[in-house]
Amino acid sequence: MKNYRLFLLDLDGTIYRGKETIASGVRFVRRLNAAGKDYIFLTNNTTRTPQMVVDKLQQHGIETDIQHVYTPSMATASYLLGENPHQKIGVYIIGEIGLWSELLQHPEIELNEKNPDYVIVGMDTDLTYNKIKIACNAIRNGATFIGTNADMNLPSADEWLPGNGSQCTMIAASTGQSPLYIGKPEAVIVEMALAKFGYQKNETLLVGDNYDTDIKAGFNSQVDQLLVFTGITSKKDIKEKRQPTFAVASLDEFPL
């Protein structure tokens, strides 16, 4: 087995399930700390700031800091700045505090509802028809359409909620323009995270419970994957599919 130096860790379904702690996930993080391994919590959630992620992890018994968190909001900001060096970037944002605070902390990125360069769409539980209308008009007028992630549904307690992918699909259907997605399973967020933290793909392992987001992000970015069956994907779900590098029932089973 490779001596992995960096572990990209999913959250919901891997470390916790909603308000329920996954004890083996918490123990895994503690084992990483004891072994001197670096890790980043790589989430698709844009509704929380990095500090809010840290606070939630603390509720599940994990002490960490914002230097160990990477979100699609952060990757989106890096993408915009990289594509438009030394320029002002006008954006129209659909989303919540995690997305707004991350984008607008950069002085190069400014709100522009009338003629934005980009329409950025993240999960918004207060989504309105008017927000969709403004986004669609901007995209028709030439704005680049970016979706922070393509999750069609989100698990919540004992139900499924429409995710950001559902919001983006509505806008795409109206405008005829498909978004550029940043979050998992796209390679963009993985490559941005590795560039930010200074690691190579061949020394990194992506850990998660969702085959269609976490594991496919590993496939797409050519980073090894560890699928854990404590969340969305079960062993039978992947029987006829491309297999991850590793698969375990519990993270307690994976040696460091």
Side-chain angles (χ1 to χ4, degrees), residues 59-151:
Q59 296 170 13
H60 294 280
I62 293 176
E63 297 291 336
T64 188
D65 56 47
I66 61 173
Q67 301 304 316
H68 288 86
V69 176
Y70 200 70
T71 72
S73 304
M74 300 165 73
T76 299
S78 294
Y79 176 83
L80 294 177
L81 296 171
E83 289 292 304
N84 304 275
H86 314 298
Q87 298 180 40
K88 286 290 185 181
I89 309 164
V91 297
Y92 178 67
I93 304 170
I94 292 177
E96 298 187 16
I97 185 171
L99 184 58
W100 282 79
S101 62
E102 178 61 41
L103 293 179
L104 297 182
Q105 71 172 299
H106 301 280
E108 300 93 335
I109 301 174
E110 57 188 13
L111 289 176
N112 184 336
E113 185 173 307
K114 293 184 177 180
N115 187 32
D117 301 299
Y118 294 87
V119 169
I120 315 294
V121 180
M123 184 65 191
D124 189 340
T125 55
D126 290 319
L127 186 67
T128 65
Y129 182 86
N130 190 57
K131 291 178 182 179
I132 295 293
K133 180 184 72 173
I134 294 170
C136 289
N137 285 337
I139 292 166
R140 290 191 192 97
N141 289 332
T144 300
F145 180 14
I146 292 182
T148 57
N149 68 77
D151 296 347

Side-chain angles (χ1 to χ4, degrees), residues 177-195:
Q177 297 292 320
S178 297
L180 167 67
Y181 284 116
I182 299 293
K184 298 177 290 185
E186 304 304 321
V188 179
I189 189 170
V190 176
E191 291 171 352
M192 291 282 186
L194 295 183

